[in-house]
C-alpha cells in the first residue's frame, strides 16, 4: 500500500543479510567515538554472558524505503537511513573486524556477506555494498576497501594514520572506530570472549525495531518521535534535504551537500545558530517557530499578507541553488570575521580583539545578523567603525536592562536601516544605533559585581587599554575583588576600611579586576601587598586593565575612588 508505515522487530543477522542501506545527503557524517562504540560492544557482551538464550534489544532505526536500479538495470530496494546511521555503520565495521579476527572459514564468510554482495550475472544479482554513502565519495571508497580487502582492519598503523589525516571526517571516525573495536577485544578482561559465540549471539539474539515508510515527510516525523540513543538529525539536516531536493543535477547536489557538510564540520553546534542569523537577515523579526518552520513559513512560503494590498508576500528566497548561494555568501563573510585574521582591516588587531570580546562577553549573538548584512552590502567599508557602534548599542541596551525581545527588535531595525540605506555613511549616522547613555552609566556607576554584564564590562576595559598590536588572549577568566568581600577580622583591610565604606565600594567597578584563573578564596583574603605578590602577580599577564590597576602601592578608599573615576571616564570616552 502506498505510504504504508511498517514497524517490527528484526534480528541483526536478518538486517545484514536482507536489507540494504543508503546514507542520504542530508545525514551528518559518522561521528561515534570510543565511548559510544565501547558502550555498544559492552552491552552486547554483557547480554551474551549473562543471558545467552535471551534476545537483546539494541535500539531502533527509521528509514525511507526506495526503489533503485543497478548499472545493469536490475531493480532492488534500498533504504535511506534517517535514524540509526551511527549504530548501523558501527555494526558494519564490527562485522569487518570479526571477519579479520576469526580464524574459521565459515565465520569469515558469514561476516563477509554482511558487508558485500558479489555480482552473479547468471542469477541477475548485482554487486552491492551493504551500506552506501550518498555524495561522500571518499567515505564510499573507504568502506569498499574495507569490505573487499582481506585483513583490511588488521592494518592498524595505516588506520591510525587515516584516523589522524583522513580526507573526510567520516573516514577518520570510522578508522578510529575500527581501532576501538580491536582495543575492546584486546583488553585483558575481554580476551576470554569467544568471538565465534559472540558472532552467533550478535546475529541471532540481538535485535532492533525498525519503522519504515515510502513517504519522506512521514519518515522525518517518525524519526523525531523514535530517536533514542543515536545522533539525532537537526532542523538544519532536514533543511539541507529540502534544498538538495530542489536541485536538478547530481553535480550541483554533490557541490552544495559538500558545502553544507564542511560548514557543519567547521562550525559544529554553532551551525544551526548561523542559519538562524541568515534567517534574521531575511525576515528581520524575532524567531517564534523552529528553525525549519521559520524557513518554510517566513522565507519560502510567507503566510503573512501585505497590509496595503492584502496579497500574500512573495518568497524571500527560492529553495535550491538560490538558498545555497545566499548561505554560502554569508558563511564566507562569517568565517572571515571570526577568523582572527583581520589585521588588514585597521592595521592592527583592534577588529579581531573587539570581535573576541563581543563573542566572549555579550549575552547572545543577536548582533551578528546586522553585522553580516552591513559587511555584505557595503563590502566591508568602515566595518570597524560600524562594529564599534553596534557593540556599543547592543551592550548598552543589555546593561540598561532592555528585554531580550527589545534588544532583538533593535538589531532588526538596524538591519532594516542597512537594507534601505544608500551608503554606509547613512548607517553610521543612523539614530537606530543610539542608546540611553544616562541609563547606561547609571548602571555602571553602581555596584556591578554579581550583575551579568560585569565580566563583559571588565573585558571591555581590557580591550580599551590593550596595545592593539597584540592579540587579546584569554581562556579561563574570573572576576576578583581587590578589597575582598569578607576580609579577616585581624586583617589590614579592617583597619583601612569601615564596614560602611566596604559596603559602598567593594562591588564597584573601581575595585574589580579580571584574573586568568579560577578564584582562590583563601588567597583572595590576603592583605594587599601579599595579595599582589602571591595571587595577582602571575594571574593578570593577559589583562591590561588589571596590570594597570595593580601598579598601585596601596589600596585604600582614595585609590578605589580614583580608579572608579578612571574606569568610568575611559568607558564614557569610548561610548561617547
Amino acid at each position: 500500500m502506498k505510504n504504508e508505515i511498517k514497524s517490527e522487530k528484526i534480528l541483526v543477522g536478518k538486517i545484514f543479510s536482507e536489507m540494504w542501506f543508503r546514507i542520504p545527503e542530508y545525514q551528518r557524517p559518522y561521528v561515534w567515538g570510543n565511548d559510544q562504540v565501547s558502550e555498544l560492544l559492552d552491552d552486547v557482551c554483557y547480554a551474551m554472558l549473562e543471558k545467552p538464550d535471551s534476545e537483546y534489544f539494541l535500539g531502533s532505526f527509521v528509514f525511507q524505503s526506495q526503489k533503485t536500479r543497478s548499472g545493469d538495470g536490475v531493480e532492488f530496494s534500498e533504504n535511506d537511513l534517517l535514524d540509526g546511521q551511527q549504530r548501523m555503520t558501527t555494526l558494519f565495521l564490527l562485522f569487518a573486524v570479526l571477519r579479520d579476527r576469526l580464524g574459521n572459514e565459515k565465520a569469515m564468510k558469514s561476516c563477509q556477506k554482511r558487508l558485500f554482495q558479489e555480482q552473479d550475472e547468471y542469477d541477475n544479482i548485482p554487486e552491492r555494498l551493504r551500506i552506501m554513502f550518498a555524495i561522500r565519495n571518499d567515505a564510499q571508497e573507504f568502506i569498499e576497501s574495507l569490505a573487499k580487502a582481506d585483513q583490511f582492519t588488521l592494518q592498524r598503523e595505516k588506520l591510525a594514520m587515516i584516523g589522524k589525516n583522513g580526507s573526510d571526517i567520516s573516514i577518520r571516525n570510522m578508522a578510529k572506530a575500527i581501532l576501538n573495536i580491536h582495543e575492546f577485544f584486546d583488553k585483558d578482561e575481554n580476551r576470554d570472549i569467544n568471538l565465534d559465540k559472540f558472532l552467533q549471539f550478535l546475529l541471532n539474539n540481538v535485535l532492533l525495531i525498525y519503522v519504515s515508510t515510502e513517504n519522506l515527510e512521514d519518515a522525518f516525523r517518525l524519526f523525531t518521535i523514535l530517536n533514542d540513543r543515536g545522533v539525532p538529525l537537526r532542523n538544519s539536516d532536514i533543511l539541507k534535504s529540502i534544498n538538495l531536493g530542489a536541485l536538478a543535477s547530481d553535480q550541483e547536489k554533490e557541490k552544495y551537500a559538500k558545502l553544507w557538510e564542511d560548514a557543519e564540520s567547521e562550525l559544529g553546534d554553532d551551525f544551526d545558530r548561523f542559519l538562524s542569523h541568515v534567517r534574521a537577515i531575511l525576515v528581520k523579526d524575532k524567531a517564534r517557530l523552529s528553525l525549519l518552520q521559520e524557513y518554510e513559513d517566513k522565507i519560502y512560503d510567507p503566510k503573512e499578507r501585505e497590509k496595503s494590498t492584502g496579497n500574500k508576500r512573495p518568497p524571500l528566497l527560492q529553495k535550491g541553488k538560490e538558498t545555497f548561494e545566499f548561505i554560502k555568501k554569508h558563511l564566507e563573510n562569517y568565517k572571515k570575521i571570526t577568523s582572527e585574521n583581520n589585521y588588514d582591516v585597521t592595521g592592527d588587531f583592534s577588529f579581531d580583539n573587539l570581535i573576541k570580546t563581543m563573542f566572549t562577553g555579550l549575552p547572545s549573538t543577536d548582533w551578528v545578523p546586522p553585522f553580516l548584512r552591513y559587511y555584505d552590502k557595503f563590502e566591508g567599508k568602515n566595518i570597524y567603525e560600524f562594529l564599534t557602534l553596534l557593540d556599543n548599542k547592543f551592550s548598552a541596551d543589555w546593561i540598561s536592562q532592555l528585554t531580550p525581545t527589545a534588544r532583538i527588535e533593535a538589531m532588526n531595525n538596524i538591519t532594516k536601516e542597512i537594507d534601505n540605506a544608500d551608503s554606509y555613511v547613512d548607517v553610521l549616522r543612523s539614530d537606530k544605533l543610539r542608546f540611553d547613555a544616562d541609563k547606561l552609566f547609571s548602571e555602571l556607576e553602581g555596584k556591578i559585581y554579581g550583575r551579568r554584564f560585569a565580566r563583559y564590562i571588565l573585558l571591555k576595559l581590557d580591550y580599551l587599554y590593550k596595545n592593539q598590536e597584540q592579540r587579546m588572549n584569554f581562556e579561563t577568566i574570573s572576576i576578583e575583588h581587590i578589597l575582598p568581600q569578607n576580609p579577616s577580622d585581624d586583617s589590614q583591610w579592617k583597619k583601612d576600611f569601615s564596614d560602611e565604606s566596604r559596603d559602598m565600594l567593594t562591588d564597584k567597578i573601581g575595585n574589580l579586576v579580571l584574573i586568568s584563573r579560577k578564584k582562590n578564596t583563601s588567597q583572595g583574603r590576603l592583605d594587599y601587598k601579599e595579595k599582589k605578590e602571591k595571587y595577582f602577580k602571575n594571574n593578570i599577564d593577559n589583562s591590561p586593565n588589571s596590570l594597570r590597576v595593580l601598579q598601585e602601592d596601596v589600596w585604600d578608599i582614595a585609590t578605589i575612588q580614583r580608579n572608579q573615576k578612571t574606569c568610568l571616564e575611559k568607558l564614557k570616552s569610548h561610548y561617547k
Side-chain angles (χ1 to χ4, degrees):
M1 183 184 295
K2 196 69 173 175
N3 295 342
E4 180 184 3
I5 296 174
K6 300 177 182 178
S7 179
E8 65 178 79
K9 65 181 184 179
I10 182 170
L11 291 167
V12 166
K14 195 172 181 182
I15 293 171
F16 280 82
S17 62
E18 298 180 4
M19 303 180 81
W20 306 88
F21 298 103
R22 177 179 175 271
I23 310 300
E25 300 89 344
Y26 47 78
Q27 276 285 14
R28 283 183 282 166
Y30 177 73
V31 296
W32 265 19
N34 186 37
D35 287 351
Q36 294 97 330
V37 173
S38 297
E39 184 182 6
L40 183 148
L41 294 172
D42 194 58
D43 287 349
V44 175
C45 286
Y46 180 84
M48 178 188 73
L49 295 172
E50 295 297 317
K51 296 182 179 180
D53 298 321
S54 300
E55 292 181 334
Y56 176 70
F57 174 63
L58 193 61
S60 62
F61 61 105
V62 180
F63 62 86
Q64 179 193 11
S65 180
Q66 304 219 61
K67 296 292 183 183
T68 189
R69 290 180 180 274
S70 70
D72 298 330
V74 180
E75 186 177 89
F76 51 84
S77 295
E78 195 166 62
N79 305 311
D80 278 7
L81 269 173
L82 278 81
D83 180 42
Q85 175 207 171
Q86 308 294 323
R87 192 178 296 107
M88 290 299 184
T89 304
T90 304
L91 289 171
F92 183 90
L93 301 176
L94 175 58
F95 281 122
V97 171
L98 291 173
R99 174 199 65 190
D100 294 345
R101 289 180 74 109
L102 285 163
N104 80 72
E105 190 174 347
K106 281 187 177 181
M108 292 171 64
K109 284 184 177 178
S110 179
C111 289
Q112 183 65 16
K113 77 174 185 179
R114 317 291 166 183
L115 307 172
F116 174 66
Q117 172 182 276
E118 292 187 6
Q119 182 181 12
D120 186 337
E121 59 270 28
Y122 300 110
D123 287 331
N124 217 17
I125 295 174
E127 177 182 295
R128 300 176 70 184
L129 281 165
R130 188 67 57 185
I131 297 179
M132 300 286 291
F133 282 78
I135 290 184
R136 297 189 182 97
N137 293 330
D138 290 348
Q140 186 63 30
E141 289 177 9
F142 179 84
I143 65 163
E144 281 192 28
S145 299
L146 175 75
K148 296 179 181 180
D150 290 339
Q151 311 295 300
F152 181 91
T153 74
L154 300 182
Q155 302 174 54
R156 299 200 193 188
E157 289 186 9
K158 179 179 179 180
L159 287 166
M161 289 295 295
I162 294 172
K164 288 182 179 178
N165 305 314
S167 60
D168 177 271
I169 186 173
S170 291
I171 294 174
R172 295 195 294 274
N173 287 327
M174 283 192 278
K176 292 174 186 175
I178 291 169
L179 294 173
N180 292 153
I181 295 168
H182 278 301
E183 288 163 8
F184 179 87
F185 290 118
D186 288 341
K187 288 179 181 177
D188 290 340
E189 63 266 31
N190 296 329
R191 284 183 179 173
D192 291 337
I193 294 172
N194 184 308
L195 291 185
D196 280 305
K197 289 184 177 178
F198 177 84
L199 177 60
Q200 291 173 36
F201 184 82
L202 179 64
L203 294 173
N204 299 293
N205 294 72
V206 178
L207 59 86
L208 294 94
I209 291 177
Y210 78 80
V211 182
S212 74
T213 177
E214 293 180 11
N215 182 278
L216 182 61
E217 186 177 343
D218 285 344
F220 276 127
R221 191 177 297 113
L222 289 165
F223 136 74
T224 59
I225 296 169
L226 294 174
N227 182 73
D228 60 346
R229 76 189 231 185
V231 178
L233 290 171
R234 299 177 296 197
N235 280 309
S236 57
D237 297 311
I238 304 172
L239 187 63
K240 175 175 72 170
S241 173
I242 290 169
N243 281 282
L244 287 173
L247 296 172
S249 72
D250 289 341
Q251 186 177 7
E252 280 192 329
K253 288 181 180 180
E254 183 173 346
K255 171 186 172 183
Y256 289 118
K258 188 174 188 309
L259 165 75
W260 195 284
E261 188 171 302
D262 288 346
E264 284 183 304
S265 179
E266 188 169 348
L267 298 182
D269 291 338
D270 286 337
F271 185 59
D272 274 19
R273 187 179 295 116
F274 168 75
L275 292 175
S276 295
H277 295 329
V278 173
R279 182 217 68 87
I281 291 169
L282 290 162
V283 178
K284 292 174 277 289
D285 192 12
K286 181 182 178 182
R288 291 172 174 83
L289 305 169
S290 70
L291 178 67
L292 180 63
Q293 210 62 48
E294 284 283 331
Y295 271 80
E296 284 287 2
D297 294 354
K298 303 280 186 69
I299 294 174
Y300 297 138
D301 185 21
K303 301 298 187 251
E304 296 180 0
R305 296 183 178 273
E306 300 282 1
K307 291 181 180 178
S308 57
T309 64
N311 296 329
K312 280 187 68 175
R313 290 184 175 178
L316 300 176
L317 271 184
Q318 296 295 330
K319 294 177 182 177
K321 184 175 182 179
E322 187 176 348
T323 292
F324 283 119
E325 287 295 330
F326 191 82
I327 289 172
K328 177 185 176 185
K329 173 178 65 173
H330 289 293
L331 179 63
E332 288 171 351
N333 291 341
Y334 183 79
K335 285 159 54 174
K336 167 68 174 162
I337 66 172
T338 58
S339 67
E340 298 188 17
N341 190 28
N342 294 287
Y343 192 94
D344 58 316
V345 172
T346 55
D348 58 18
F349 291 109
S350 301
F351 180 90
D352 288 328
N353 288 339
L354 182 53
I355 285 281
K356 188 176 181 71
T357 300
M358 293 169 74
F359 272 114
T360 304
L362 291 174
S364 73
T365 53
D366 293 320
W367 53 271
V368 171
F371 185 63
L372 287 174
R373 180 69 184 107
Y374 180 98
Y375 194 95
D376 175 51
K377 180 167 182 177
F378 301 117
E379 299 176 335
K381 290 176 181 156
N382 285 60
I383 190 65
Y384 176 60
E385 183 179 354
F386 176 71
L387 180 65
T388 302
L389 293 170
L390 187 66
D391 171 47
N392 286 355
K393 167 65 176 170
F394 190 81
S395 61
D397 285 354
W398 172 42
I399 294 168
S400 300
Q401 301 185 59
L402 268 66
T403 65
T405 297
R407 297 200 303 266
I408 292 170
E409 184 179 0
M411 294 297 105
N412 287 327
N413 286 336
I414 294 170
T415 305
K416 292 175 186 176
E417 192 81 352
I418 296 167
D419 283 349
N420 297 326
D422 293 326
S423 77
Y424 68 88
V425 177
D426 296 336
V427 177
L428 299 179
R429 293 176 178 172
S430 170
D431 61 3
K432 303 299 182 188
L433 286 161
R434 292 180 184 172
F435 52 88
D436 188 339
D438 291 337
K439 176 64 174 170
L440 169 65
F441 282 93
S442 173
E443 298 291 337
L444 293 179
E445 286 165 1
K447 297 178 181 181
I448 71 165
Y449 184 76
R451 305 285 296 275
R452 285 187 66 204
F453 63 78
R455 186 176 76 144
Y456 165 78
I457 210 67
L458 289 168
L459 277 171
K460 178 66 79 72
L461 283 168
D462 274 351
Y463 163 74
L464 295 175
Y465 280 109
K466 181 73 177 176
N467 174 3
Q468 302 297 347
E469 288 297 326
Q470 301 169 348
R471 296 181 190 275
M472 290 184 76
N473 181 24
F474 45 81
E475 298 300 330
T476 300
I477 52 175
S478 303
I479 300 174
E480 183 60 67
H481 295 80
I482 302 176
L483 163 65
Q485 290 174 293
N486 298 298
S488 303
D489 290 336
D490 60 350
S491 68
Q492 187 65 38
W493 297 116
K494 283 290 185 108
K495 297 174 184 176
D496 293 342
F497 294 86
S498 66
D499 290 345
E500 291 77 15
S501 61
R502 283 193 300 106
D503 181 65
M504 179 179 67
L505 297 172
T506 302
D507 291 337
K508 287 194 172 184
I509 195 171
N511 186 52
L512 302 174
V513 291
L514 289 178
I515 58 172
S516 56
R517 59 172 286 180
K518 292 183 178 179
K519 296 180 71 166
N520 184 321
T521 304
S522 61
Q523 287 192 321
R525 298 178 74 191
L526 295 172
D527 284 330
Y528 182 64
K529 289 185 179 179
E530 275 191 296
K531 194 171 182 177
K532 275 181 65 176
E533 186 65 27
K534 295 181 179 180
Y535 188 31
F536 286 129
K537 186 175 181 181
N538 298 318
N539 298 311
I540 59 170
D541 292 349
N542 296 324
S543 182
N545 181 55
S546 303
L547 286 166
R548 174 191 66 81
V549 170
L550 292 163
Q551 297 299 312
E552 298 286 352
D553 293 325
V554 296
W555 198 256
D556 54 17
I557 292 175
T559 310
I560 295 177
Q561 290 175 333
R562 184 171 63 250
N563 188 51
Q564 175 82 1
K565 183 179 178 181
T566 299
C567 290
L568 290 172
E569 285 179 349
K570 189 74 171 177
L571 291 166
K572 284 179 180 177
S573 174
H574 176 73
Y575 278 96
K576 299 184 174 62

